Amino acid sequence: MTATLILGGARSGKSRFAENLITTSGPDRHYIATGRAWDDEMRARIDQHKADRGPSWTTHEEPLDLTERLAAIDAAGRAILVDCLTLWVTNLMMEGRDIAAQSAALAAWVPQSKARLVIVSNEVGLGIVPENRMAREFRDHAGRLHQMIAASADDVYFIAAGLPLKMKG
C-alpha cells in the first residue's frame, strides 16, 4: 500500500493531518499509540486524543515493540496510524534498547506493509544544539530514524501552523 511520514513541531497539527489522511482510507482504522502516561498531564493528553478520535478507531498501545505490533495488525484494506516515533525513541532510550537496530527494522518493514500506513513524528533537529548528552543523543537518534523512514516512505509531509508542505511523493 502507501506509507506516509508526517513531521513537524509540537502542536503543529501533525496528528490532525494524519488522522484526516487515514479517515479517507476507509472504515478499518487502527491507531498505534507509542506514548506512556508517566504523569497526570500525560494521562490527560492521552485521554483527550482518544476522545478526539472517537470510537471508529481501534487503539493499540505499544511503547516498545512497534515493528512487531505493526506486523501483527498489518492487512490489506486496513489503515494504520503510528503516533509518534519520537515518543517511541524516548521509550527505547529509557529501556536501554538498541535504537539503531530497532530503527533499521522499522525502516525495512515500512515498504512491505499491506495497509495504508501513516507515521507521525516530531522534528527535533531545527533548534539549537541541546546542552546535555542525553538530549543530543535523542536528537541524533530521531534524526537518523526520520531519514530512514523518509527514504522508505512514499510520501513525506512537514507540518507547520497546521499547514502541510509536501516534501516527497
Side-chain angles (χ1 to χ4, degrees), residues 6 8 11 15 56-57 61 63 68 82 86-87 90 104 106-107 110 121 123 131 134 136 148 167:
I6 300 171
R11 294 288 180 226
S15 295
S56 64
W57 291 79
E61 294 184 9
E68 293 82 356
V82 176
T86 44
L87 289 174
T90 299
L106 178 62
V110 164
S121 197
E123 177 52 63
E131 69 179 38
M134 184 176 188
R136 287 189 300 274
M148 287 189 280
M167 300 172 68

Side-chain angles (χ1 to χ4, degrees), residues 124 127-140:
V124 296
I128 62 171
V129 175
E131 69 179 38
N132 68 75
R133 181 181 176 158
M134 184 176 188
R136 287 189 300 274
E137 288 175 355
F138 169 77
R139 179 208 51 200
D140 294 347

Side-chain angles (χ1 to χ4, degrees), residues 6 8-20 120 159-163:
I6 300 171
R11 294 288 180 226
S12 63
K14 302 178 303 292
S15 295
R16 184 177 16 199
F17 182 77
E19 289 169 12
N20 287 338
V120 174
I159 310 296
L163 302 172

Side-chain angles (χ1 to χ4, degrees), residues 108-169:
W109 184 86
V110 164
Q112 301 173 29
S113 176
K114 297 177 202 89
R116 168 76 170 101
L117 185 61
V118 176
I119 302 170
V120 174
S121 197
N122 290 295
E123 177 52 63
V124 296
L126 297 173
I128 62 171
V129 175
E131 69 179 38
N132 68 75
R133 181 181 176 158
M134 184 176 188
R136 287 189 300 274
E137 288 175 355
F138 169 77
R139 179 208 51 200
D140 294 347
H141 287 307
R144 285 189 291 271
L145 174 60
H146 292 160
Q147 291 179 56
M148 287 189 280
I149 299 301
S152 61
D154 301 295
D155 300 307
V156 179
Y157 290 89
F158 184 82
I159 310 296
L163 302 172
L165 172 64
K166 193 164 193 179
M167 300 172 68
K168 178 183 177 184

